[in-house]
Amino acid sequence: MHPPISLIWFFLTAGVSIGLFNFTYFMEFLTLFGKNTAMPRQAVIISLVISLVLIGLGAIGASFHLGHKMRAWKAIKRFHTSWLSREAVFSGAYGFVLFLYGLAYYFNANLFIQHSLGILTFVLGWLSAFSTAMIYASNKFVLEWYTSLTVLYYLNMYLMLGSSAFLSLTYFYRPEFVPTYLFLTFLFVSLGLAFRIAFNIRQFIIPRPTINEALNLPHNRPIRVLDTGTTTNNYCTEEFYYKKGKDLLGSVLPVAYILTFIVPLFLILYAWITGNYNYNFFKIAFASLVLGSFLERWCFFVEGNHVQNLFYGLYPEEGYRLRKGYMERKKTVIRL
């Protein structure tokens, strides 16, 4: 699939926004149970402003993905059937309620109002993230994405970005929490690495469709595409198959692995074990995580193969070979 930069931009901005708010409010929420975990007022306001600006920038960036921007409001009309529509509704509601929570916190509104808005923002943020993940995980035509692993991995990436961003705030405002957030960042990045490896391994074992299945023909007669029906590229061949990306994938994916997982894990683990809480480690870890996540999302789109590519001879041949044993076991035969 052709990687849309506007959607990768939305992932990064929304991911840091929701992830950062998640940990900021969680520390406030624990105070309801008598815990001394609240961040200083200045730190909370800085975090809320960053989260609000980022979700706003994400919405602006995502609008570039729309073919007709003036009709963007129509995206919410299919709420009961479309994950894309739910994403638009929940992300918009998250930004609006986050703004209200920021006002309530800044003006020291009643605690009941503050926490009601905080909990609502928390829930809306995760509903938005879940809806975005389901856009890919529910797509039956791109089998690489069509799995619950996509959702788990996607949500965990928000936690990776949020915990690493919140680590910087604790360094300046509550240094006693630095070890806790070093552990949480290490945990979420480690889980992210495990999910990513599982995602890539799955690509080699998923039962890919064949052109026989697409044409509803028996499997004992290998069929190949002789004529794609078009002599030039069109929307389908350009948007659903990104040749340049396929050529670069072998080089970009290792870099994405290194920047997203290896570098942050090494820095966080080093700081955690040695107790050397150097702020530069946290800055580099977060920057590496953001840059790596950009490349990782780019790879995620390029790795996706739409089944319509079968008719253009662009579907991975590996899938055909993997199915060869299955084809030979099929009992259906053509008799002349």
Side-chain angles (χ1 to χ4, degrees):
M1 297 288 287
H2 200 110
I5 301 302
S6 57
L7 295 188
I8 298 175
W9 168 256
F10 178 77
F11 162 78
L12 289 175
T13 52
V16 177
S17 171
I18 294 171
L20 182 60
F21 175 80
N22 177 72
F23 290 104
T24 303
Y25 179 70
F26 180 68
M27 300 298 271
E28 294 290 313
F29 180 75
L30 289 180
T31 62
L32 292 173
F33 303 95
K35 305 292 184 183
N36 180 26
T37 55
M39 296 293 284
R41 182 176 175 78
Q42 184 182 4
V44 175
I45 292 174
I46 289 173
S47 174
L48 294 180
V49 170
I50 292 173
S51 297
L52 196 56
V53 169
L54 284 177
I55 195 66
L57 290 175
I60 294 171
S63 69
F64 287 94
H65 188 63
L66 298 170
H68 299 280
K69 298 176 180 55
M70 297 303 292
R71 301 177 192 170
W73 64 274
K74 290 188 175 181
I76 64 174
K77 291 179 65 177
R78 302 285 183 183
F79 183 83
H80 61 295
T81 57
S82 166
W83 285 109
L84 179 63
S85 177
R86 292 165 192 159
E87 178 205 41
V89 171
F90 288 134
S91 60
Y94 162 76
F96 179 68
V97 182
L98 173 63
F99 174 69
L100 295 180
Y101 174 73
L103 288 178
Y105 184 87
Y106 184 78
F107 290 107
N108 288 317
N110 182 283
L111 280 181
F112 175 78
I113 296 175
Q114 283 191 39
H115 284 289
S116 296
L117 290 172
I119 293 170
L120 185 58
T121 309
F122 187 93
V123 172
L124 287 171
W126 284 112
L127 285 175
S128 168
F130 182 75
S131 300
T132 307
M134 284 302 295
I135 292 173
Y136 308 112
S138 64
N139 191 337
K140 298 179 181 178
F141 304 109
V142 182
L143 298 180
E144 287 80 3
W145 304 346
Y146 186 57
T147 167
S148 55
L149 190 61
T150 299
V151 178
L152 294 174
Y153 179 43
Y154 196 93
L155 297 181
N156 186 74
M157 289 189 81
Y158 275 30
L159 293 172
M160 287 164 49
L161 293 167
S163 60
S164 58
F166 193 72
L167 184 60
S168 299
L169 278 180
T170 59
Y171 177 84
F172 285 111
Y173 294 99
R174 293 296 297 268
E176 66 271 28
F177 288 128
V178 167
T180 302
Y181 278 91
L182 278 174
F183 168 73
L184 289 177
T185 304
F186 178 79
L187 174 66
F188 294 132
V189 176
S190 298
L191 282 174
L193 176 60
F195 284 139
R196 218 329 162 166
I197 291 173
F199 182 80
N200 280 130
I201 290 176
R202 181 180 173 273
Q203 291 182 32
F204 290 97
I205 60 176
I206 51 175
R208 297 179 187 278
T210 65
I211 192 72
N212 297 61
E213 291 172 336
L215 297 173
N216 197 26
L217 292 173
H219 284 239
N220 66 326
R221 291 295 179 92
I223 294 176
R224 60 190 176 91
V225 177
L226 294 177
D227 186 357
T228 62
T230 177
T231 56
T232 59
N233 285 334
N234 53 44
Y235 179 84
C236 290
T237 57
E238 290 180 354
E239 289 299 314
F240 297 147
Y241 184 80
Y242 185 44
K243 184 180 184 309
K244 188 176 180 181
K246 294 287 188 188
D247 295 338
L248 293 173
L249 190 60
S251 303
V252 177
L253 188 57
V255 177
Y257 261 96
I258 291 171
L259 292 178
T260 310
F261 305 111
I262 306 303
V263 172
L265 280 176
F266 174 77
L267 292 173
I268 296 299
L269 195 60
Y270 177 79
W272 192 21
I273 292 175
T274 64
N276 182 7
Y277 302 152
N278 189 323
Y279 183 61
N280 288 326
F281 291 164
F282 306 153
K283 281 195 303 185
I284 296 172
F286 178 68
S288 179
L289 195 51
V290 171
L291 181 58
S293 296
F294 178 89
L295 296 177
E296 191 280 335
R297 285 294 94 182
W298 184 90
C299 294
F300 174 80
F301 279 104
V302 175
E303 289 169 305
N305 295 290
H306 199 290
V307 292
Q308 67 102 50
N309 291 336
L310 281 166
F311 296 103
Y312 293 95
L314 299 173
Y315 209 70
E317 292 183 358
E318 290 81 2
Y320 191 81
R321 294 195 188 102
L322 284 171
R323 296 281 282 177
K324 189 172 181 179
Y326 171 72
M327 290 163 56
E328 292 170 348
R329 288 196 298 271
K330 291 285 283 188
K331 294 181 179 178
T332 307
V333 294
I334 295 177
R335 299 186 185 281
L336 298 177

